[in-house]
Each structure stands twice: as structure tokens, then as C-alpha cells.
Amino acid sequence: QVQLVESGGGLVQPGESLRLSCAASGFTFSVYPMSWYRQAPGKEREFVARITSAGGFTNYADSAKGRFTISRDNAKHTVYLQMNSLKPEDTAVYYCHAQIRRDYWGPGTQVTVSS
């Protein structure tokens, strides 16, 4: 069965960096685009970044452009989100997403940006 497991979240100060990872299993990882979403307290889940199956094309939410970088390692079945210059408004649960006939989500990893 499809499984997505995020890791790498934590508590950081404004301006610091984090690298999130999402380990995927149960499907042919290299065939599918992958995405990151986030959900802040009291807000709807929102798109953060997406990467195509071979990693040749990426797109980002305006809030992530210039600070976040999505990448993938198809040999390791893992997608990453490098987050730099973090801001308090980046505080959220971050979710890995794949669409394989339907939407699949991981359980999420908490990112808290606070001084």
C-alpha cells in the first residue's frame, strides 16, 4: 500500500533553515510528481511546492519562492523540502502528497518558527 512518511520538522528561530524529507513506498515513485503542502492552525491546507517525476520541473507557492527548494532522489524514493530564511508565518504541519488515482498524504511533520 502507498505510504508517505515525513520527517525533519522541529522548532527553529526566524532566519534558520530546516530540511524536510518524505520517504515513499508502495508505488513506483519515479513515475509520479510529488508535492508538499502545509496547514497552519486554524487555516486550510495550502500548496507549497511540486516537483515532476524526473525532477526536471518545479513550481512553488508565492510564499515559498526564493526560500524553499523541493528536490527528489528517485533511487531513495524520497522527496525533500529545503526551507531557508524561515519566518514565524511558516509555522505549520507540513505534508507530503502524491496523487495516484487518488490523493495520498503522510501524517505530517510539525515545523515551528519562533524566537
Short mmCIF file of all heavy atoms in Angstrom, two decimals, residues 65-102:
data_model
loop_
_atom_site.label_atom_id
_atom_site.label_comp_id
_atom_site.label_asym_id
_atom_site.label_seq_id
_atom_site.Cartn_x
_atom_site.Cartn_y
_atom_site.Cartn_z
N LYS A 65 8.64 30.86 -2.81
CA LYS A 65 9.60 31.20 -3.87
C LYS A 65 10.80 31.94 -3.31
O LYS A 65 10.66 32.88 -2.52
CB LYS A 65 8.92 32.06 -4.94
CG LYS A 65 7.98 31.29 -5.84
CD LYS A 65 7.31 32.21 -6.85
CE LYS A 65 6.32 31.44 -7.71
NZ LYS A 65 5.57 32.34 -8.63
N GLY A 66 11.98 31.48 -3.71
CA GLY A 66 13.22 32.13 -3.29
C GLY A 66 13.73 31.67 -1.94
O GLY A 66 14.88 31.98 -1.59
N ARG A 67 12.92 30.95 -1.18
CA ARG A 67 13.36 30.49 0.14
C ARG A 67 13.35 28.96 0.25
O ARG A 67 14.17 28.39 0.96
CB ARG A 67 12.45 31.08 1.23
CG ARG A 67 12.46 32.59 1.31
CD ARG A 67 11.70 33.07 2.54
NE ARG A 67 10.30 32.63 2.52
CZ ARG A 67 9.72 31.96 3.51
NH1 ARG A 67 10.39 31.67 4.62
NH2 ARG A 67 8.44 31.63 3.43
N PHE A 68 12.40 28.32 -0.40
CA PHE A 68 12.25 26.86 -0.31
C PHE A 68 12.71 26.22 -1.62
O PHE A 68 12.53 26.79 -2.70
CB PHE A 68 10.80 26.48 -0.07
CG PHE A 68 10.23 26.91 1.26
CD1 PHE A 68 10.97 27.67 2.16
CD2 PHE A 68 8.94 26.55 1.60
CE1 PHE A 68 10.43 28.07 3.37
CE2 PHE A 68 8.39 26.93 2.81
CZ PHE A 68 9.13 27.69 3.69
N THR A 69 13.24 25.01 -1.51
CA THR A 69 13.63 24.23 -2.68
C THR A 69 13.16 22.81 -2.52
O THR A 69 13.49 22.15 -1.53
CB THR A 69 15.15 24.24 -2.86
OG1 THR A 69 15.62 25.59 -2.97
CG2 THR A 69 15.54 23.48 -4.13
N ILE A 70 12.37 22.35 -3.49
CA ILE A 70 11.93 20.96 -3.50
C ILE A 70 12.86 20.16 -4.39
O ILE A 70 13.30 20.63 -5.44
CB ILE A 70 10.46 20.84 -3.96
CG1 ILE A 70 9.94 19.42 -3.77
CG2 ILE A 70 10.29 21.33 -5.40
CD1 ILE A 70 8.43 19.28 -4.02
N SER A 71 13.17 18.95 -3.97
CA SER A 71 14.03 18.07 -4.76
C SER A 71 13.63 16.63 -4.48
O SER A 71 12.84 16.37 -3.57
CB SER A 71 15.51 18.31 -4.43
OG SER A 71 15.77 18.01 -3.07
N ARG A 72 14.19 15.71 -5.26
CA ARG A 72 13.85 14.30 -5.04
C ARG A 72 15.03 13.43 -5.40
O ARG A 72 15.86 13.81 -6.24
CB ARG A 72 12.62 13.91 -5.84
CG ARG A 72 12.78 13.97 -7.33
CD ARG A 72 11.43 13.82 -8.04
NE ARG A 72 10.84 12.50 -7.83
CZ ARG A 72 9.54 12.23 -8.00
NH1 ARG A 72 8.70 13.20 -8.36
NH2 ARG A 72 9.09 11.02 -7.79
N ASP A 73 15.07 12.27 -4.78
CA ASP A 73 16.06 11.24 -5.10
C ASP A 73 15.25 9.99 -5.43
O ASP A 73 14.75 9.31 -4.52
CB ASP A 73 16.99 11.01 -3.92
CG ASP A 73 18.10 10.05 -4.23
OD1 ASP A 73 17.93 9.18 -5.11
OD2 ASP A 73 19.16 10.13 -3.57
N ASN A 74 15.11 9.71 -6.71
CA ASN A 74 14.27 8.56 -7.11
C ASN A 74 14.88 7.23 -6.69
O ASN A 74 14.15 6.27 -6.47
CB ASN A 74 14.01 8.61 -8.60
CG ASN A 74 12.97 9.66 -8.96
OD1 ASN A 74 12.28 10.20 -8.10
ND2 ASN A 74 12.87 9.97 -10.25
N ALA A 75 16.19 7.18 -6.56
CA ALA A 75 16.83 5.94 -6.11
C ALA A 75 16.50 5.65 -4.65
O ALA A 75 16.43 4.49 -4.24
CB ALA A 75 18.33 6.04 -6.30
N LYS A 76 16.28 6.71 -3.87
CA LYS A 76 15.96 6.55 -2.45
C LYS A 76 14.47 6.67 -2.17
O LYS A 76 14.04 6.60 -1.01
CB LYS A 76 16.72 7.59 -1.63
CG LYS A 76 18.23 7.41 -1.66
CD LYS A 76 18.92 8.43 -0.76
CE LYS A 76 20.43 8.21 -0.76
NZ LYS A 76 21.13 9.21 0.10
N HIS A 77 13.67 6.89 -3.22
CA HIS A 77 12.22 7.05 -3.05
C HIS A 77 11.90 8.14 -2.02
O HIS A 77 11.04 7.96 -1.14
CB HIS A 77 11.58 5.74 -2.61
CG HIS A 77 11.60 4.68 -3.65
ND1 HIS A 77 10.84 3.54 -3.60
CD2 HIS A 77 12.31 4.57 -4.80
CE1 HIS A 77 11.08 2.80 -4.66
NE2 HIS A 77 11.98 3.39 -5.39
N THR A 78 12.59 9.25 -2.13
CA THR A 78 12.46 10.31 -1.14
C THR A 78 12.34 11.67 -1.83
O THR A 78 13.04 11.93 -2.81
CB THR A 78 13.67 10.32 -0.19
OG1 THR A 78 13.76 9.05 0.46
CG2 THR A 78 13.53 11.40 0.87
N VAL A 79 11.47 12.49 -1.30
CA VAL A 79 11.35 13.87 -1.75
C VAL A 79 11.71 14.78 -0.57
O VAL A 79 11.42 14.45 0.58
CB VAL A 79 9.95 14.17 -2.31
CG1 VAL A 79 8.86 13.96 -1.26
CG2 VAL A 79 9.87 15.57 -2.90
N TYR A 80 12.35 15.89 -0.88
CA TYR A 80 12.86 16.79 0.14
C TYR A 80 12.26 18.19 -0.02
O TYR A 80 11.84 18.58 -1.10
CB TYR A 80 14.38 16.91 0.04
CG TYR A 80 15.10 15.59 0.10
CD1 TYR A 80 15.51 14.94 -1.06
CD2 TYR A 80 15.39 14.99 1.32
CE1 TYR A 80 16.18 13.73 -1.02
CE2 TYR A 80 16.06 13.78 1.38
CZ TYR A 80 16.44 13.15 0.21
OH TYR A 80 17.10 11.95 0.26
N LEU A 81 12.27 18.92 1.08
CA LEU A 81 11.93 20.34 1.04
C LEU A 81 12.95 21.08 1.90
O LEU A 81 12.94 20.96 3.13
CB LEU A 81 10.52 20.60 1.56
CG LEU A 81 10.04 22.04 1.41
CD1 LEU A 81 9.87 22.40 -0.07
CD2 LEU A 81 8.73 22.26 2.17
N GLN A 82 13.85 21.78 1.23
CA GLN A 82 14.83 22.61 1.92
C GLN A 82 14.19 23.97 2.16
O GLN A 82 13.77 24.63 1.22
CB GLN A 82 16.09 22.76 1.08
CG GLN A 82 17.13 23.68 1.69
CD GLN A 82 17.75 23.12 2.95
OE1 GLN A 82 18.07 21.93 3.02
NE2 GLN A 82 17.94 23.96 3.96
N MET A 83 14.13 24.36 3.41
CA MET A 83 13.48 25.61 3.78
C MET A 83 14.51 26.53 4.44
O MET A 83 15.06 26.19 5.49
CB MET A 83 12.32 25.35 4.74
CG MET A 83 11.30 24.38 4.18
SD MET A 83 9.84 24.23 5.23
CE MET A 83 10.56 23.51 6.70
N ASN A 84 14.77 27.66 3.81
CA ASN A 84 15.72 28.63 4.32
C ASN A 84 15.00 29.91 4.73
O ASN A 84 13.87 30.16 4.33
CB ASN A 84 16.77 28.94 3.26
CG ASN A 84 17.59 27.73 2.85
OD1 ASN A 84 17.81 26.82 3.66
ND2 ASN A 84 18.03 27.71 1.62
N SER A 85 15.69 30.72 5.50
CA SER A 85 15.14 32.01 5.93
C SER A 85 13.72 31.86 6.46
O SER A 85 12.80 32.59 6.07
CB SER A 85 15.16 33.01 4.75
OG SER A 85 16.46 33.16 4.26
N LEU A 86 13.56 30.93 7.36
CA LEU A 86 12.22 30.63 7.88
C LEU A 86 11.65 31.80 8.66
O LEU A 86 12.38 32.54 9.33
CB LEU A 86 12.25 29.36 8.73
CG LEU A 86 12.31 28.07 7.92
CD1 LEU A 86 12.79 26.91 8.76
CD2 LEU A 86 10.95 27.77 7.31
N LYS A 87 10.33 31.95 8.55
CA LYS A 87 9.60 33.03 9.19
C LYS A 87 8.56 32.44 10.14
O LYS A 87 8.12 31.30 9.94
CB LYS A 87 8.89 33.88 8.15
CG LYS A 87 9.79 34.44 7.06
CD LYS A 87 8.97 35.15 5.99
CE LYS A 87 9.86 35.68 4.87
NZ LYS A 87 9.04 36.36 3.82
N PRO A 88 8.13 33.20 11.12
CA PRO A 88 7.07 32.68 12.01
C PRO A 88 5.82 32.24 11.25
O PRO A 88 5.17 31.27 11.65
CB PRO A 88 6.77 33.88 12.91
CG PRO A 88 8.07 34.63 12.98
CD PRO A 88 8.66 34.49 11.60
N GLU A 89 5.52 32.89 10.15
CA GLU A 89 4.34 32.51 9.37
C GLU A 89 4.51 31.21 8.61
O GLU A 89 3.55 30.71 8.00
CB GLU A 89 3.93 33.64 8.40
CG GLU A 89 5.06 34.16 7.54
CD GLU A 89 5.70 35.43 8.11
OE1 GLU A 89 5.95 35.47 9.35
OE2 GLU A 89 5.96 36.35 7.32
N ASP A 90 5.70 30.63 8.64
CA ASP A 90 5.91 29.30 8.07
C ASP A 90 5.53 28.19 9.05
O ASP A 90 5.54 27.01 8.68
CB ASP A 90 7.38 29.11 7.66
CG ASP A 90 7.80 30.04 6.54
OD1 ASP A 90 7.02 30.20 5.58
OD2 ASP A 90 8.91 30.61 6.62
N THR A 91 5.19 28.56 10.27
CA THR A 91 4.79 27.57 11.26
C THR A 91 3.54 26.84 10.79
O THR A 91 2.52 27.45 10.47
CB THR A 91 4.51 28.26 12.61
OG1 THR A 91 5.73 28.82 13.11
CG2 THR A 91 3.95 27.28 13.62
N ALA A 92 3.64 25.52 10.72
CA ALA A 92 2.55 24.69 10.20
C ALA A 92 2.95 23.23 10.32
O ALA A 92 4.11 22.90 10.59
CB ALA A 92 2.28 25.03 8.74
N VAL A 93 1.98 22.37 10.07
CA VAL A 93 2.27 20.96 9.83
C VAL A 93 2.48 20.81 8.32
O VAL A 93 1.64 21.25 7.53
CB VAL A 93 1.13 20.05 10.31
CG1 VAL A 93 1.47 18.59 9.99
CG2 VAL A 93 0.91 20.23 11.81
N TYR A 94 3.59 20.21 7.96
CA TYR A 94 3.94 20.04 6.56
C TYR A 94 3.66 18.60 6.12
O TYR A 94 4.06 17.65 6.80
CB TYR A 94 5.41 20.38 6.34
CG TYR A 94 5.65 21.87 6.34
CD1 TYR A 94 5.55 22.61 7.50
CD2 TYR A 94 5.94 22.55 5.15
CE1 TYR A 94 5.74 23.99 7.51
CE2 TYR A 94 6.13 23.93 5.14
CZ TYR A 94 6.02 24.63 6.32
OH TYR A 94 6.20 26.00 6.31
N TYR A 95 2.97 18.48 4.99
CA TYR A 95 2.52 17.18 4.50
C TYR A 95 3.11 16.89 3.12
O TYR A 95 3.16 17.75 2.25
CB TYR A 95 1.00 17.15 4.35
CG TYR A 95 0.25 17.32 5.65
CD1 TYR A 95 -0.16 18.57 6.07
CD2 TYR A 95 -0.05 16.21 6.44
CE1 TYR A 95 -0.86 18.74 7.26
CE2 TYR A 95 -0.76 16.37 7.63
CZ TYR A 95 -1.15 17.64 8.03
OH TYR A 95 -1.85 17.79 9.20
N CYS A 96 3.49 15.64 2.94
CA CYS A 96 3.89 15.14 1.65
C CYS A 96 2.64 14.63 0.93
O CYS A 96 1.73 14.07 1.57
CB CYS A 96 4.88 14.00 1.90
SG CYS A 96 5.61 13.26 0.45
N HIS A 97 2.58 14.80 -0.39
CA HIS A 97 1.39 14.44 -1.15
C HIS A 97 1.77 13.76 -2.46
O HIS A 97 2.71 14.17 -3.15
CB HIS A 97 0.58 15.69 -1.46
CG HIS A 97 -0.53 15.48 -2.43
ND1 HIS A 97 -0.39 15.73 -3.79
CD2 HIS A 97 -1.79 15.02 -2.25
CE1 HIS A 97 -1.53 15.45 -4.39
NE2 HIS A 97 -2.39 15.02 -3.48
N ALA A 98 1.00 12.73 -2.78
CA ALA A 98 1.11 12.08 -4.08
C ALA A 98 -0.31 11.81 -4.59
O ALA A 98 -1.20 11.47 -3.81
CB ALA A 98 1.89 10.78 -3.97
N GLN A 99 -0.49 11.97 -5.88
CA GLN A 99 -1.79 11.66 -6.48
C GLN A 99 -1.63 10.43 -7.37
O GLN A 99 -1.02 10.51 -8.45
CB GLN A 99 -2.32 12.84 -7.29
CG GLN A 99 -3.76 12.63 -7.75
CD GLN A 99 -4.32 13.87 -8.39
OE1 GLN A 99 -3.65 14.52 -9.19
NE2 GLN A 99 -5.54 14.21 -8.05
N ILE A 100 -2.14 9.31 -6.88
CA ILE A 100 -2.03 8.04 -7.58
C ILE A 100 -3.43 7.48 -7.66
O ILE A 100 -3.87 6.75 -6.77
CB ILE A 100 -1.09 7.08 -6.83
CG1 ILE A 100 0.24 7.77 -6.52
CG2 ILE A 100 -0.85 5.80 -7.65
CD1 ILE A 100 1.02 7.10 -5.43
N ARG A 101 -4.15 7.86 -8.63
CA ARG A 101 -5.59 7.56 -8.78
C ARG A 101 -6.42 8.31 -7.74
O ARG A 101 -7.56 8.65 -7.97
CB ARG A 101 -5.87 6.05 -8.70
CG ARG A 101 -5.24 5.26 -9.85
CD ARG A 101 -5.54 3.78 -9.75
NE ARG A 101 -4.96 3.18 -8.56
CZ ARG A 101 -3.70 2.82 -8.47
NH1 ARG A 101 -2.87 3.00 -9.46
NH2 ARG A 101 -3.25 2.27 -7.35
N ARG A 102 -5.86 8.53 -6.60
CA ARG A 102 -6.49 9.41 -5.60
C ARG A 102 -5.37 10.08 -4.82
O ARG A 102 -4.20 9.79 -5.02
CB ARG A 102 -7.39 8.60 -4.67
CG ARG A 102 -6.66 7.65 -3.72
CD ARG A 102 -7.60 7.15 -2.64
NE ARG A 102 -7.01 6.25 -1.68
CZ ARG A 102 -6.38 6.65 -0.58
NH1 ARG A 102 -6.21 7.94 -0.33
NH2 ARG A 102 -5.91 5.76 0.29
#
